[in-house]
DNA sequence: ATATCTCTTAGACTGCGTCTAACTATCTAC
DNA sequence: GTAGATAGTTAGACGCAGTCTAAGAGATAT
């Protein structure tokens, strides 16, 4: 995605396109790597050194709020970002530590028992295992 | 579990019962808190200051190898220990930010399509929503 | 008793996340 | 157009989780 396209995309989501935000968006909206916030920060810093950690974290949270990104909370205190906001699941390769998308249609989830006091809005499934070579 | 019982248990699993190992076992084999290795270390240090971090980590790994504990890898770089693990899912309360256990039997996951090159060992489902008062 | 093997130590290092106080840029009201 | 308010950014400190290493203490075997 080139620079003006990123700017238009941000503006279309009511996000003021500061230089830092454009730099962060330019990377994170195009990657298939499922990076953590820290990984985004370090990567963007290479080409745009004047981005602070706090800005990277704030910006990613903002993008999630505005629907540009999806946040995948793998564990309390460890989240990962995904520009694919269409519904899908995830596979976590426990050997390599890599994360892959799994089509939404690859599995179904059925609520069997009743969870009377829980109002479920969203179901996210994380498969863990290893990848056969 | 009292001290001699811990010693017997360790010996029954072919683990030499050093003072550090007994202290660690005394806590982690009795807790229901699903602590991380760091949490175990800090907790044990309170009553037994002469335990180093490396020893806590080494000892927990040893206990897992010997079948005394189960290690739950929640994400790459974040594991949790459980002396008596029952599989369960999680419900994330988006209002309060709290996490609740959901019984394993409350839902079923069916793999519909085929994922030929993925060897799935574990399926974890995160339900998101709000808790009805 | 000595040589070997096992166990433990302190501390340095990385990754990830959160927070704050101060600074700059942008917008709005007048 | 300037003043004040709001929005955005910064560096750095802090906490938690995990890994590693060099060195030494302790147990075991012969």
């Amino acid at each position: 995605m080139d620079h003006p396209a990123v700017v238009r995309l941000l503006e279309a989501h009511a996000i003021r396109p500061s230089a830092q935000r454009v730099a962060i968006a330019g990377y994170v909206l195009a990657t298939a790597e499922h990076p953590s916030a820290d990984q985004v920060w370090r990567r963007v810093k290479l080409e745009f050194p004047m981005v602070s950690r706090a800005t990277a974290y704030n910006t990613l949270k903002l993008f999630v709020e505005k629907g540009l990104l999806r946040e995948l909370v793998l564990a309390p205190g460890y989240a990962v970002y995904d520009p694919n906001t269409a519904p899908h699941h995830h596979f976590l390769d426990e050997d390599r530590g890599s994360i892959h998308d799994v089509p939404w249609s690859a599995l179904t989830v059925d609520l069997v028992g009743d969870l009377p006091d829980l109002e479920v809005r969203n179901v996210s499934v994380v498969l863990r295992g290893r990848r056969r070579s």
Side-chain angles (χ1 to χ4, degrees), chain A:
Chain A
M1 211 169 350
D2 59 351
H3 187 102
V6 172
V7 171
R8 281 196 301 276
L9 187 61
L10 294 186
E11 283 172 343
H13 285 79
I15 299 169
R16 200 183 300 171
S18 72
Q20 290 87 343
R21 287 172 176 175
V22 172
I24 290 167
Y27 165 60
V28 80
L29 294 181
T31 187
E33 288 167 359
H34 298 82
S36 69
D38 244 60
Q39 286 167 340
V40 173
W41 171 57
R42 277 193 299 276
R43 173 66 179 266
V44 170
K45 242 193 341 180
L46 295 180
E47 285 149 35
F48 199 97
M50 305 291 11
V51 178
S52 79
R53 212 180 197 186
T55 294
Y57 278 76
N58 291 341
T59 299
L60 290 169
K61 278 204 183 347
L62 178 69
F63 286 0
V64 170
E65 275 170 30
K66 298 296 189 179
L68 272 173
L69 277 184
R70 182 168 159 190
E71 187 184 40
L72 183 63
V73 179
L74 293 180
Y78 184 50
V80 127
Y81 293 89
D82 190 346
N84 181 0
T85 54
H88 62 283
H89 304 296
H90 290 93
F91 177 83
L92 211 152
D93 188 326
E94 289 182 337
D95 290 342
R96 299 179 184 83
S98 56
I99 301 168
H100 308 273
D101 289 352
V102 172
W104 184 255
S105 59
L107 52 91
T108 61
V109 178
D110 289 305
L111 290 166
V112 173
D114 42 341
L115 302 167
D117 53 344
L118 302 182
E119 181 186 327
V120 177
R121 287 206 203 99
N122 176 277
V123 179
S124 122
V125 176
V126 179
L127 309 173
R128 288 163 214 267
R130 64 159 49 123
R131 197 168 192 185
R132 275 191 274 265
S133 59

